[in-house]
Every structure is written in C-alpha cells, then in structure tokens.
Amino acid sequence: MTARPLLVLQHAPWEGPALVARALAARAPGVELVTRSVLDHAAPDLPAPADLAGLVVLGGPMGADDDARHPGLAAERSLLARAVDADLPVLGVCLGMQLLARALGAAVHAGHGTEIGFAPVEVLADDPVLRPLGPAPTVLHWHSDAAELPSGATLLARSTVTPVQAFRAGSALGLQFHLELDAPDLEAWLASPAAGELAPGGASELRAAAAEVFPAVVPGALSGLAAFADAVRDRA
C-alpha cells in the first residue's frame, strides 16, 4: 500500500519547506512531500484530508484575506478547517498560521506591527515542536500582520509586538515565526523580492545575526519538527 503524502502549500518561490523537508526525510523517508501553489486558482483540485498524511501551509507576502487577488486562499482555508476536523497533522507558518487562524474563525489584523529580524519569543505552554527550543528562543520574524487566537486553541508563544506567536488547535500547530529556515534558505530570501522590505544594510545585519543564532536554534528546530514528521509518518 502506498503511503499517503505530505502536502505543502507554497505561496512564494523563495519560501519552501526547508527544515520541514529535512525532518520528514529523516523521520519518515517513505512519505512523499508534494509541493503545490494554488494561489491563483479559484477552484483548485486539492486532495481531501483523508488522502493526506499531513498538511503544511507556508508563508508569503500576501494577506490571509486577499481573496480578490489570490482566489485560491479560500480553498486553502477550507482545506485547513477540514484538516483540523479530521485530526490531520497540520503546520501553518507565518501566512500559513494566519490562514489557519482564519479557517478556525479568528480574525487577522493587517499591519498590526512589523517584526523583521531575529528576536525572542516567550513560550507559554508545552508543545512537542517548541519544547526543544527552550522557554525564550530567539527566532526569525518576517511579518506585519497578526492573528488572534482561535476559540478553543492553546496559546503557545507570544512577543511584545505580536500577542499570538504560536498556537495549538488539536492536530494543528500555527507558528507566526520562521522555525523552518537555516542559513542557505535565508540566503534565498535575501536574494528574493522579499529583501526589498529591509532597511539599508538590513541584509548584512540579518546574515550576522543568523551566524550567531542558527547554530543554536537550527538543531532545536529540527528536533521539534521531527515531532511533526513523526505524526505525519504515523498518519501515512
């Protein structure tokens, strides 16, 4: 019997699954990772949760409610809601977390507060993906929108600017920050249109900060993402 795949919904060419793919390859080598972009399709042919081992929804520069320009977002939110109902392992990152929150009935506030760069978050509750990072990990932020906490979800992390940095809703984990990146992936971002959001000298500052932060945070991120990969493997 063929294992069910892990579906990754990607919104920008430079924002790929990165460490998620590495964790999956190490912990669930028999599970195929399938990456798709459905942003501009009004009625994309997405699989049912029953046909998946897991779902990852990545970040991107658009807003979670930007259906007028990107009609596929509505289908993504619908799939996210059905995936949570089906107890499918789900990981939403940055925009993906905001789409997850919207799928679960929470609001997303555009332009709530910009966070770009490395800064700590305060971990408030235990979760297997965040546990290896410790109580106040320094992580990469790249966003200005912020989601509210969905009803019934557990708040896992916060920062001064962003009250909801991570939450757990059943089988689904939302991360506003970018736990999935390492140095090569960051370089891809800095060579992309996303770098236009940086102040002069910002790219050099990010590289220098990454050289200090990534040696400590990447092993913890891989360890935490292994817990997600294990859940995917068990579902496959």
Side-chain angles (χ1 to χ4, degrees), residues 20 25 33 46 48 54 67 70 81 87 95 120 135 143 161 184 205 226 230 234:
V20 178
L33 187 153
L46 289 171
D67 295 16
H70 303 290
D87 203 33
L95 170 62
H143 73 102
V161 174
E205 292 176 5
D230 287 348
D234 294 344

Side-chain angles (χ1 to χ4, degrees), residues 181-199:
L181 292 188
D182 61 7
D185 298 302
L186 178 60
E187 282 300 320
W189 282 36
L190 295 178
S192 78
E197 299 179 57
L198 300 174

Side-chain angles (χ1 to χ4, degrees), residues 24-145:
L24 186 74
R27 306 291 290 199
V31 177
E32 181 185 8
L33 187 153
V34 177
T35 302
R36 291 187 59 187
S37 176
V38 301
L39 274 175
D40 299 323
H41 300 273
D45 183 19
L46 289 171
D51 296 326
L52 297 173
L55 174 64
V56 176
V57 184
L58 296 172
M62 59 288 303
D65 293 303
D66 197 2
D67 295 16
R69 290 194 302 165
H70 303 290
L73 291 174
E76 293 191 29
R77 294 194 300 270
S78 174
L79 178 58
L80 282 163
R82 288 180 285 123
V84 174
D85 286 343
D87 203 33
L88 184 73
V90 172
L91 175 63
V93 179
C94 200
L95 170 62
M97 186 195 92
Q98 296 162 15
L99 289 166
L100 175 61
R102 288 290 291 113
L104 299 177
V108 173
H109 301 286
H112 177 272
T114 299
E115 289 182 296
I116 298 179
F118 289 91
V121 295
E122 179 186 3
V123 176
L124 302 170
D126 183 58
D127 189 87
V129 175
L130 298 184
R131 190 179 302 141
L133 301 175
T138 296
V139 291
L140 179 63
H141 307 264
W142 203 308
H143 73 102
S144 58
D145 298 353

Side-chain angles (χ1 to χ4, degrees), residues 132-189:
L133 301 175
T138 296
V139 291
L140 179 63
H141 307 264
W142 203 308
H143 73 102
S144 58
D145 298 353
E148 293 186 5
L149 184 68
S151 177
T154 300
L155 180 63
L156 298 178
R158 65 187 177 193
S159 67
T160 301
V161 174
T162 306
V164 180
Q165 282 281 359
F167 68 82
R168 168 72 67 178
S171 61
L173 173 66
L175 301 176
Q176 183 58 66
F177 51 90
H178 289 279
L179 195 63
E180 81 280 14
L181 292 188
D182 61 7
D185 298 302
L186 178 60
E187 282 300 320
W189 282 36

